[in-house]
Amino acid sequence: MSRLFFFIQEAFRALRRNAAPSMAAIVTTVTTVILLGVLIPVFQTTQAKSNEVRESLEFRVAIYDDATQGETMALQRELEAIPHVESVELITKAEALVELEEDLGQSKSEDLLAQLHDNPLPANFQVKADDAANLDAVRAAVTPPGPDGKPQPISPIVQDVFDRQQESQKIEQVTSALKIVLTVITALLIIASLMLVGNTIRLSIYTRRREVEVMRLVGATRWFIRWPFMIEGVIVGFAGGLVAILILWLGKLTIVDPLSNDIGLLEAQNSTTLAFPALVAILFAAAVLVSAVGSGITLRRFLKV
């Protein structure tokens, strides 16, 4: 135990001697950990949203307002007979209006209807496939090619066919671009953290080179000489991780939690992202690990003991 206290004291003494590079290493570690703390929930949320849209892919078959009940029921039977169709549900004009109110908000939809003086939304069938991979085939069966080679609806009462596939593709494109950009930034910051921690340790080795030579002469073991420098790097990571986690915690209390309570985001966030304590543990371990790796690499290169 006395040796451990000695190593820790030596590490803090070295940090005080090299205050400027030590502070730069800590600040870079703080920035890296904060970015990771933002990236992990962003990645999880965007991936969950993309999967949610992909798994709930469906398409709608809108019908004309003058379609008779017999024609509507006949179309429903035709849709249900298509291979790989899991369910077909009729959405009336009134139900379509309720969906619009949920998407836009009731006040906006009421203003829109006040200007139009009528419900312009058509009744439609909600068609779900048994598997997302079969969705395109089912959709193609609703509008097979006619004699001229152009898609023709299977019933004259079909007004339009629309789906959420384009929305899914946009989400995936945005998610992929976001992942690439933020991953590159994170990687650069991790490299910068490794270099700055390594530079701090190298300066410590240089300023204490005479002490190292004396310890060699009196027979100190290799790890007795190395431990203070390793602990110095770990302290840098510990301090940077602690400051970053404090900033993230304050951001959660002052920004994330109020927004969650106001707009109902908390339930979705809890179901798609790591719990905050688990995220804190991962970030803290990552900060210490990066600093320890930076210390180890520098010791292998510049401390020949």
Side-chain angles (χ1 to χ4, degrees):
M1 186 63 69
S2 59
R3 277 192 175 186
L4 179 60
F5 285 129
F6 170 75
F7 293 151
I8 294 175
Q9 287 175 353
E10 289 297 304
F12 275 107
R13 186 160 64 93
L15 288 171
R16 286 195 298 269
R17 284 181 178 178
N18 304 293
S22 298
M23 185 58 64
I26 291 174
V27 170
T28 307
T29 303
V30 169
T31 306
T32 304
V33 174
I34 290 176
L35 186 58
L36 282 173
V38 174
L39 287 184
I40 292 174
V42 167
F43 281 174
Q44 290 183 306
T45 302
T46 52
Q47 187 63 41
K49 179 61 178 176
S50 180
N51 291 338
E52 176 189 340
V53 173
R54 190 186 300 111
E55 291 172 1
S56 64
L57 279 178
E58 62 188 35
F59 66 90
R60 302 293 182 95
V61 179
I63 60 177
Y64 288 105
D65 291 342
D66 58 357
T68 65
Q69 184 176 2
E71 292 173 328
T72 302
M73 298 301 296
L75 175 58
Q76 182 169 359
R77 288 192 294 270
E78 288 186 75
L79 293 173
E80 291 173 341
I82 296 174
H84 303 296
V85 169
E86 182 179 89
S87 65
V88 177
E89 181 182 355
L90 177 63
I91 308 297
T92 64
K93 290 174 65 68
E95 291 170 339
L97 180 60
V98 172
E99 288 184 342
L100 178 65
E101 291 175 349
E102 292 176 352
D103 291 339
L104 300 180
Q106 186 173 0
S107 59
K108 290 184 178 180
S109 61
E110 288 177 352
D111 292 341
L112 180 62
L113 288 177
Q115 296 176 8
L116 297 174
H117 306 292
D118 195 8
N119 180 2
L121 302 177
N124 61 85
F125 285 103
Q126 181 186 61
V127 182
K128 293 185 178 181
D130 57 5
D131 190 273
N134 298 323
L135 185 68
D136 290 338
V138 174
R139 193 178 191 280
V142 177
T143 54
D148 56 356
K150 296 181 179 180
Q152 297 289 336
I154 59 176
S155 171
I157 68 170
V158 174
Q159 179 181 1
D160 189 20
V161 178
F162 56 96
D163 57 34
R164 299 179 64 196
Q165 192 166 11
Q166 187 176 4
E167 178 185 351
S168 176
Q169 292 173 349
K170 288 181 179 179
I171 291 175
E172 290 183 354
Q173 290 172 357
V174 172
T175 301
S176 299
L178 184 66
K179 286 181 178 179
I180 292 172
V181 171
L182 296 182
T183 300
V184 170
I185 294 174
T186 304
L188 292 175
L189 282 173
I190 290 175
I191 293 172
S193 298
L194 289 171
M195 294 177 64
L196 283 170
V197 171
N199 186 59
T200 302
I201 302 303
R202 186 171 62 174
L203 287 173
S204 295
I205 294 172
Y206 179 78
T207 56
R208 298 177 58 193
R209 62 190 184 280
R210 295 190 183 279
E211 295 178 27
V212 172
E213 290 175 1
V214 171
M215 284 190 284
R216 284 177 181 171
L217 291 175
V218 299
T221 63
R222 174 180 298 183
W223 279 105
F224 185 88
I225 298 174
R226 288 181 174 223
W227 270 118
F229 298 108
M230 286 293 298
I231 293 175
E232 183 180 349
V234 170
I235 290 173
V236 169
F238 184 90
L242 197 62
V243 173
I245 288 168
L246 178 61
I247 293 173
L248 289 171
W249 179 69
L250 291 175
K252 180 178 183 297
L253 289 181
T254 58
I255 299 175
V256 177
D257 288 348
L259 284 177
S260 300
N261 295 331
D262 290 342
I263 63 178
L265 193 63
L266 187 60
E267 292 80 7
Q269 190 179 48
N270 285 339
S271 63
T272 58
T273 61
L274 283 173
F276 190 71
L279 179 62
V280 166
I282 292 173
L283 295 176
F284 200 76
V288 174
L289 179 62
V290 168
S291 298
V293 170
S295 301
I297 293 173
T298 305
L299 288 173
R300 288 178 63 87
R301 289 186 61 190
F302 297 100
L303 190 60
K304 306 299 182 183
V305 294

